[in-house]
């Protein structure tokens, strides 16, 4: 899995490319740890290039969410593919994470 | 019957997931059913690597898949520490998410039936059953 990070004003966009499972989430955890250590509070996780994510990936998102919410930041999702929407709805992560159709809308939501 | 035997650590997870998707499709599963098998197998294999073999590199798994009428049955046999499904608490689905604990729950959500055979002398056998159509 490839992780691409882009900063747009005070929002960090983390775009994931590839499958997210137990073999790739260590890199994801490391990327999130680095961003949190740098003081980043607002995150958009771009899932447009993720066709598969299992509960390992959900755990990584939940971990980031819990850490960021303590500091009054937020983690939002964008471009969730249909295959991924299923597990997000089954675990009710859609009731926790705000989701947007595209990156621009997700980033702009922090500025409302 | 389709069969796969794998050895290794967590690197076997994507390999068995790909096998499950391919075999499910060959057995006539529609795309959603094949994707559901991929997810269930990925969850099960992850649990086995981490909890039955404690991330040791020598995990051994034997997977089989067959079709019985409109049903596809996949079995996963490990030879590590036994798994007791009764010890897995249900995940928290309201309020803040938990970090982990959704794997077994997701398996049950996307399969029509999940069975565990725990009376082998060594290890556990997992049986996943799903209709091939949505």
């Amino acid at each position: 899995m490839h992780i691409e990070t882009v900063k747009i004003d005070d929002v960090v966009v983390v775009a994931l490319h590839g499958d997210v499972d137990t073999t790739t989430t260590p890199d994801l955890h490391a990327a999130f740890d680095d961003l949190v250590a740098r003081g980043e509070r607002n995150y958009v996780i771009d899932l447009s290039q993720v066709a598969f994510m299992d509960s390992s990936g959900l755990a990584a998102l939940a971990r980031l969410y819990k850490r960021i919410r303590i500091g009054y930041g937020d983690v939002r999702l964008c471009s969730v593919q249909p295959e991924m929407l299923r597990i997000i709805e089954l675990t009710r992560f859609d009731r926790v994470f705000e989701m947007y159709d595209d990156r621009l809308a997700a980033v702009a939501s922090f500025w409302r | 019957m389709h069969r796969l035997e794998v050895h290794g650590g967590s690197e076997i997870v994507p390999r068995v997931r790909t096998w499950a998707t391919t075999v499910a499709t060959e057995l006539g599963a529609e795309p959603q059913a094949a994707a559901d098998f991929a997810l269930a197998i990925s969850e099960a294999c992850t649990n086995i690597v981490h909890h039955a073999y404690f991330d040791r590199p020598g995990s051994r798994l034997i997977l089989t898949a067959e079709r019985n009428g409109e049903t596809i049955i996949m079995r996963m046999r490990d030879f590590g520490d036994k798994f007791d499904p009764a010890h897995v608490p249900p995940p928290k689905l309201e309020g803040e998410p938990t970090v982990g604990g959704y794997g077994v729950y997701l398996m049950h959500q996307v399969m029509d039936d999940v069975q565990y055979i725990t009376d082998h002398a060594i290890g556990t056998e997992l049986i996943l059953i799903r209709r091939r159509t949505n």
Side-chain angles (χ1 to χ4, degrees):
Chain A
M1 179 184 62
H2 172 65
I3 302 170
E4 174 197 344
T5 304
V6 175
K7 186 90 181 277
I8 302 175
D9 198 16
D10 61 342
V11 180
V12 175
V13 177
V14 181
L16 309 183
H17 298 252
D19 292 350
V20 186
D21 67 13
T22 192
T23 64
T24 54
T25 48
D27 290 339
L28 189 54
H29 283 293
F32 286 160
D33 287 348
D34 181 60
L35 290 166
V36 171
R38 285 196 257 147
E40 303 294 347
R41 294 192 311 141
N42 299 324
Y43 294 79
V44 168
I45 312 302
D46 186 331
L47 298 171
S48 58
Q49 302 302 312
V50 175
F52 178 85
M53 178 182 288
D54 65 13
S55 63
S56 308
L58 296 179
L61 294 178
R63 182 169 171 266
L64 176 66
Y65 177 87
K66 292 167 93 69
R67 295 171 75 184
I68 291 306
R69 292 290 285 185
I70 290 173
Y72 302 103
D74 202 10
V75 181
R76 298 173 188 175
L77 311 180
C78 77
S79 312
V80 178
Q81 299 305 295
E83 302 90 337
M84 275 216 48
L85 197 56
R86 183 161 162 75
I87 69 164
I88 285 178
E89 290 175 344
L90 285 173
T91 54
R92 303 196 186 172
F93 270 42
D94 55 334
R95 301 185 187 186
V96 174
F97 292 90
E98 289 183 28
M99 298 196 297
Y100 295 87
D101 289 341
D102 59 64
R103 184 185 291 197
L104 197 59
V107 171
S109 72
F110 282 95
W111 302 330
R112 283 200 298 259
Chain B
M1 178 184 288
H2 297 262
R3 186 181 186 279
L4 175 72
E5 180 165 345
V6 291
H7 299 255
S10 61
E11 74 278 2
I12 66 176
V13 173
R15 184 178 165 201
V16 301
R17 185 169 67 241
T18 299
W19 177 88
T21 307
T22 302
V23 166
T25 304
E26 287 179 5
L27 290 173
E30 293 190 0
Q32 185 60 66
D36 287 348
F37 270 112
L39 177 61
I41 289 287
S42 194
E43 298 292 355
C45 189
T46 297
N47 283 341
I48 289 169
V49 167
H50 292 321
H51 304 301
Y53 288 107
F54 302 99
D55 298 310
R56 293 191 298 265
S59 302
R60 178 186 177 212
L61 289 180
I62 298 175
L63 296 99
T64 62
E66 62 185 319
R67 179 170 158 181
N68 185 356
E70 292 303 299
T71 300
I72 293 172
I73 302 164
M74 290 197 184
R75 300 170 192 264
M76 184 181 286
R77 176 83 167 90
D78 74 78
F79 303 87
D81 279 28
K82 284 182 184 292
F83 171 72
D84 183 355
H87 287 164
V88 179
K92 182 167 165 281
L93 296 176
E94 301 297 333
E96 277 212 352
T98 56
V99 179
Y102 296 100
V104 172
Y105 166 78
L106 283 171
M107 286 165 52
H108 283 268
Q109 291 297 304
V110 300
M111 291 289 111
D112 293 318
D113 194 12
V114 177
Q115 300 173 12
Y116 297 92
I117 298 176
T118 57
D119 58 1
H120 291 298
I122 301 171
T124 306
E125 181 177 357
L126 169 70
I127 304 172
L128 302 171
I129 301 169
R130 171 81 159 83
R131 286 184 298 279
R132 67 179 188 88
T133 59
N134 290 338

